[in-house]
Amino acid sequence: AIGVTPRVSRTVVDATAGLGVDAFMMACLDCRVTSIERSPAVYELLVDGFRRAVEDPELGGWLPEYLRFVHADAEAYLASLSHEERPDVVYLDPMYPHVDGKSALPKKEMQIFRKLLGPDTDSARVLERALHAATDRVVVKRPNEAPALLEGVTHAFVGKTARYDMYAVVRQSRISE
C-alpha cells in the first residue's frame, strides 16, 4: 500500500506511531520513517524501546538511519513541513472506531491505549492535512467493516480483518523547466 519496490526507497511519515510496530516494519522495508506520537507517555515508551533497539548489535547499525520518532501533534507537524521536507507517503493507523454488536475485545495493548488516549476525534482532519503533505500517496489502515475516513479512496488493499485505503496525491505538472 505504501508503494515499496525493490529499487525505490520511500520517505514516510507515520502520523500515528502507537506502539511503533508499523514504523519499524516500514524501516525494515528500506523506508526512511519519521514516526509522530502526540501522547507524552506513549512517546516516552517509544523512545525507550528505540534506545534499547539501537543497543542491539543486529539493529543498532542501521536502525537510526531509517527510523526516528518525534513528539508532536501530527496535524501540526504535517502543516509545518517545507516543500523539501514533504514525504512520499503519509501513513495513518488511527484508533479503530467502536463497532456495535462486536463481542470480541481488541488486543490488550489496544484496550490500554483506548483508556490512556481516549477516543479518536481528529483522524479525518489529520487525513486532510496528510493529503496536502504527501507527494505520492496517503495510506489509512481501517477495519474492513468501517467506512473510509474521507471520500476519494483510489485503491483499497483488503486483508482478513483490516483494509488499507490508499489516496493517491495528484501532482501538479511542471510545464516549463
Side-chain angles (χ1 to χ4, degrees), residues 70-84:
V70 175
H71 179 230
D73 174 80
E75 188 176 2
Y77 178 85
L78 292 169
S80 74
L81 295 176
S82 69
H83 184 73
E84 294 78 27

PDB file of all heavy atoms in Angstrom, residues 70-84:
ATOM      1  N   VAL A  70       9.197  11.480  16.692  1.00  0.00           N
ATOM      2  CA  VAL A  70       9.008  12.894  17.007  1.00  0.00           C
ATOM      3  C   VAL A  70       7.784  13.017  17.906  1.00  0.00           C
ATOM      4  O   VAL A  70       6.736  12.439  17.606  1.00  0.00           O
ATOM      5  CB  VAL A  70       8.806  13.733  15.717  1.00  0.00           C
ATOM      6  CG1 VAL A  70       8.487  15.191  16.051  1.00  0.00           C
ATOM      7  CG2 VAL A  70      10.024  13.631  14.820  1.00  0.00           C
ATOM      8  N   HIS A  71       7.930  13.760  18.994  1.00  0.00           N
ATOM      9  CA  HIS A  71       6.798  14.030  19.875  1.00  0.00           C
ATOM     10  C   HIS A  71       6.124  15.306  19.376  1.00  0.00           C
ATOM     11  O   HIS A  71       6.652  16.404  19.500  1.00  0.00           O
ATOM     12  CB  HIS A  71       7.270  14.209  21.320  1.00  0.00           C
ATOM     13  CG  HIS A  71       6.158  14.504  22.265  1.00  0.00           C
ATOM     14  ND1 HIS A  71       6.190  15.543  23.148  1.00  0.00           N
ATOM     15  CD2 HIS A  71       4.965  13.885  22.440  1.00  0.00           C
ATOM     16  CE1 HIS A  71       5.063  15.561  23.840  1.00  0.00           C
ATOM     17  NE2 HIS A  71       4.313  14.565  23.427  1.00  0.00           N
ATOM     18  N   ALA A  72       4.963  15.129  18.741  1.00  0.00           N
ATOM     19  CA  ALA A  72       4.250  16.274  18.170  1.00  0.00           C
ATOM     20  C   ALA A  72       2.823  15.866  17.842  1.00  0.00           C
ATOM     21  O   ALA A  72       2.492  14.684  17.784  1.00  0.00           O
ATOM     22  CB  ALA A  72       4.955  16.747  16.891  1.00  0.00           C
ATOM     23  N   ASP A  73       1.994  16.855  17.613  1.00  0.00           N
ATOM     24  CA  ASP A  73       0.660  16.634  17.072  1.00  0.00           C
ATOM     25  C   ASP A  73       0.830  16.445  15.567  1.00  0.00           C
ATOM     26  O   ASP A  73       1.459  17.273  14.895  1.00  0.00           O
ATOM     27  CB  ASP A  73      -0.215  17.852  17.377  1.00  0.00           C
ATOM     28  CG  ASP A  73      -1.563  17.746  16.707  1.00  0.00           C
ATOM     29  OD1 ASP A  73      -2.435  17.037  17.242  1.00  0.00           O
ATOM     30  OD2 ASP A  73      -1.729  18.357  15.622  1.00  0.00           O
ATOM     31  N   ALA A  74       0.289  15.355  15.028  1.00  0.00           N
ATOM     32  CA  ALA A  74       0.505  15.022  13.610  1.00  0.00           C
ATOM     33  C   ALA A  74      -0.001  16.106  12.673  1.00  0.00           C
ATOM     34  O   ALA A  74       0.671  16.450  11.689  1.00  0.00           O
ATOM     35  CB  ALA A  74      -0.150  13.690  13.279  1.00  0.00           C
ATOM     36  N   GLU A  75      -1.165  16.664  12.957  1.00  0.00           N
ATOM     37  CA  GLU A  75      -1.727  17.690  12.079  1.00  0.00           C
ATOM     38  C   GLU A  75      -0.802  18.904  12.021  1.00  0.00           C
ATOM     39  O   GLU A  75      -0.496  19.422  10.947  1.00  0.00           O
ATOM     40  CB  GLU A  75      -3.118  18.079  12.567  1.00  0.00           C
ATOM     41  CG  GLU A  75      -3.868  18.978  11.630  1.00  0.00           C
ATOM     42  CD  GLU A  75      -5.288  19.279  12.100  1.00  0.00           C
ATOM     43  OE1 GLU A  75      -5.703  18.824  13.177  1.00  0.00           O
ATOM     44  OE2 GLU A  75      -5.973  20.001  11.363  1.00  0.00           O
ATOM     45  N   ALA A  76      -0.316  19.338  13.175  1.00  0.00           N
ATOM     46  CA  ALA A  76       0.592  20.486  13.228  1.00  0.00           C
ATOM     47  C   ALA A  76       1.940  20.152  12.582  1.00  0.00           C
ATOM     48  O   ALA A  76       2.512  20.977  11.856  1.00  0.00           O
ATOM     49  CB  ALA A  76       0.795  20.936  14.675  1.00  0.00           C
ATOM     50  N   TYR A  77       2.445  18.949  12.829  1.00  0.00           N
ATOM     51  CA  TYR A  77       3.723  18.542  12.246  1.00  0.00           C
ATOM     52  C   TYR A  77       3.636  18.556  10.717  1.00  0.00           C
ATOM     53  O   TYR A  77       4.509  19.113  10.043  1.00  0.00           O
ATOM     54  CB  TYR A  77       4.121  17.154  12.742  1.00  0.00           C
ATOM     55  CG  TYR A  77       5.415  16.666  12.136  1.00  0.00           C
ATOM     56  CD1 TYR A  77       6.638  17.014  12.698  1.00  0.00           C
ATOM     57  CD2 TYR A  77       5.425  15.887  10.985  1.00  0.00           C
ATOM     58  CE1 TYR A  77       7.829  16.596  12.128  1.00  0.00           C
ATOM     59  CE2 TYR A  77       6.605  15.458  10.407  1.00  0.00           C
ATOM     60  CZ  TYR A  77       7.807  15.816  10.991  1.00  0.00           C
ATOM     61  OH  TYR A  77       8.982  15.410  10.420  1.00  0.00           O
ATOM     62  N   LEU A  78       2.599  17.946  10.176  1.00  0.00           N
ATOM     63  CA  LEU A  78       2.441  17.897   8.721  1.00  0.00           C
ATOM     64  C   LEU A  78       2.296  19.298   8.128  1.00  0.00           C
ATOM     65  O   LEU A  78       2.816  19.573   7.044  1.00  0.00           O
ATOM     66  CB  LEU A  78       1.245  17.027   8.344  1.00  0.00           C
ATOM     67  CG  LEU A  78       1.400  15.532   8.646  1.00  0.00           C
ATOM     68  CD1 LEU A  78       0.067  14.813   8.498  1.00  0.00           C
ATOM     69  CD2 LEU A  78       2.476  14.894   7.774  1.00  0.00           C
ATOM     70  N   ALA A  79       1.607  20.177   8.834  1.00  0.00           N
ATOM     71  CA  ALA A  79       1.427  21.552   8.358  1.00  0.00           C
ATOM     72  C   ALA A  79       2.749  22.320   8.357  1.00  0.00           C
ATOM     73  O   ALA A  79       2.922  23.254   7.574  1.00  0.00           O
ATOM     74  CB  ALA A  79       0.394  22.275   9.211  1.00  0.00           C
ATOM     75  N   SER A  80       3.678  21.931   9.220  1.00  0.00           N
ATOM     76  CA  SER A  80       4.942  22.668   9.356  1.00  0.00           C
ATOM     77  C   SER A  80       6.003  22.267   8.333  1.00  0.00           C
ATOM     78  O   SER A  80       7.039  22.927   8.228  1.00  0.00           O
ATOM     79  CB  SER A  80       5.519  22.466  10.761  1.00  0.00           C
ATOM     80  OG  SER A  80       6.063  21.157  10.888  1.00  0.00           O
ATOM     81  N   LEU A  81       5.771  21.213   7.572  1.00  0.00           N
ATOM     82  CA  LEU A  81       6.790  20.733   6.638  1.00  0.00           C
ATOM     83  C   LEU A  81       6.996  21.700   5.472  1.00  0.00           C
ATOM     84  O   LEU A  81       6.031  22.170   4.873  1.00  0.00           O
ATOM     85  CB  LEU A  81       6.388  19.362   6.090  1.00  0.00           C
ATOM     86  CG  LEU A  81       6.312  18.217   7.089  1.00  0.00           C
ATOM     87  CD1 LEU A  81       5.792  16.950   6.403  1.00  0.00           C
ATOM     88  CD2 LEU A  81       7.664  17.963   7.737  1.00  0.00           C
ATOM     89  N   SER A  82       8.255  21.934   5.161  1.00  0.00           N
ATOM     90  CA  SER A  82       8.565  22.745   3.981  1.00  0.00           C
ATOM     91  C   SER A  82       8.364  21.873   2.744  1.00  0.00           C
ATOM     92  O   SER A  82       8.221  20.653   2.835  1.00  0.00           O
ATOM     93  CB  SER A  82      10.015  23.229   4.034  1.00  0.00           C
ATOM     94  OG  SER A  82      10.907  22.145   3.850  1.00  0.00           O
ATOM     95  N   HIS A  83       8.393  22.491   1.581  1.00  0.00           N
ATOM     96  CA  HIS A  83       8.227  21.759   0.329  1.00  0.00           C
ATOM     97  C   HIS A  83       9.273  20.637   0.217  1.00  0.00           C
ATOM     98  O   HIS A  83       8.965  19.526  -0.211  1.00  0.00           O
ATOM     99  CB  HIS A  83       8.315  22.711  -0.859  1.00  0.00           C
ATOM    100  CG  HIS A  83       8.056  22.051  -2.165  1.00  0.00           C
ATOM    101  ND1 HIS A  83       6.798  21.647  -2.548  1.00  0.00           N
ATOM    102  CD2 HIS A  83       8.911  21.685  -3.166  1.00  0.00           C
ATOM    103  CE1 HIS A  83       6.880  21.068  -3.740  1.00  0.00           C
ATOM    104  NE2 HIS A  83       8.138  21.097  -4.136  1.00  0.00           N
ATOM    105  N   GLU A  84      10.506  20.912   0.603  1.00  0.00           N
ATOM    106  CA  GLU A  84      11.590  19.936   0.506  1.00  0.00           C
ATOM    107  C   GLU A  84      11.452  18.814   1.526  1.00  0.00           C
ATOM    108  O   GLU A  84      11.992  17.725   1.323  1.00  0.00           O
ATOM    109  CB  GLU A  84      12.957  20.623   0.699  1.00  0.00           C
ATOM    110  CG  GLU A  84      13.323  21.597  -0.394  1.00  0.00           C
ATOM    111  CD  GLU A  84      12.598  22.936  -0.260  1.00  0.00           C
ATOM    112  OE1 GLU A  84      12.229  23.320   0.866  1.00  0.00           O
ATOM    113  OE2 GLU A  84      12.381  23.576  -1.303  1.00  0.00           O
TER     114      GLU A  84
END
